[in-house]
Amino acid sequence: MRRELTAFAMLAAGFAIAHIATLQASPGIIMKVAMKKIAETANLDANTFRLSPRVTPQSQTVVRPSPDFAYSICIYDLSEGSINLTVAPWPAYSSVSFFDAQTINFATVRAEKGADILLTREYSNVSAGPATERYVSPTNTGVILIRRLAPTEADYDGVASIAAGDSCAATTP
């Protein structure tokens, strides 16, 4: 009986370790695949915003994106230094969300009046320049998503005209 209990305990411990390892590794793997797919689909280089096409049943690549929003995305890489973000103002609802390489949303900012943000890997005395806000990313890479309320074609066209003012650029040392 003791041998069976020992075997069962070892089996249970093995399953627990495998379960925890899967839970720890999955977000990073998911985000790495997502970032690669986003970069390929949008022909997107690191540290550059790209406005996605208007959401329609034909353009939908993500399960259930809202057709009432215009989305701009930037895949960031802080391995060479900080990122300066400029988000153009939009009079309706607008937000900027930051996701690290483990899929964690570590910051979200309302941005109807626009935003100037410095994104760094660690908090330091690096000059924020024109940035009015500063955020520290838990990882070197991740995704920044701008959402702007644009329920009509005319609203989307308005977002398209101002989205050129969005920037996600590495700071100069």
Side-chain angles (χ1 to χ4, degrees):
M1 179 70 164
R2 184 170 166 91
R3 181 183 289 171
E4 288 87 10
L5 286 175
T6 302
F8 178 75
M10 289 177 63
L11 183 64
F15 279 125
I17 290 169
H19 177 73
I20 291 169
T22 300
L23 292 178
Q24 290 295 317
S26 293
I29 293 168
I30 290 167
M31 189 60 127
K32 191 173 189 176
V33 169
M35 288 171 42
K36 183 178 179 190
K37 176 116 172 119
I38 290 166
E40 289 171 356
T41 303
N43 192 22
L44 184 64
D45 295 325
N47 305 332
T48 307
F49 271 116
R50 178 73 43 103
L51 179 66
S52 298
R54 188 159 192 262
V55 175
T56 64
Q58 293 76 29
S59 69
Q60 189 172 334
T61 58
V62 176
V63 178
R64 300 191 61 133
S66 174
D68 291 338
F69 284 95
Y71 298 94
S72 293
I73 194 163
C74 172
I75 296 173
Y76 69 84
D77 184 351
L78 299 172
S79 60
E80 300 292 320
S82 300
I83 302 292
N84 280 325
L85 280 133
T86 302
V87 178
W90 179 245
Y93 173 83
S94 180
S95 69
V96 183
S97 296
F98 299 84
F99 299 89
D100 72 7
Q102 298 296 315
T103 70
I104 296 171
N105 175 218
F106 63 90
T108 298
V109 180
R110 292 288 296 260
E112 288 86 357
K113 295 179 182 177
D116 291 307
I117 299 168
L118 180 69
L119 182 62
T120 62
R121 180 65 176 102
E122 55 188 45
Y123 192 81
S124 66
N125 290 329
V126 172
S127 170
T132 55
E133 299 180 65
R134 178 187 300 222
Y135 294 96
V136 178
S137 173
T139 59
N140 276 337
T141 59
V143 173
I144 302 166
L145 183 66
I146 301 174
R147 292 180 192 93
R148 292 183 173 109
L149 184 62
T152 67
E153 188 75 37
D155 289 333
Y156 180 84
D157 292 344
V159 169
S161 69
I162 63 132
D166 299 332
S167 70
C168 175
T171 58
T172 52

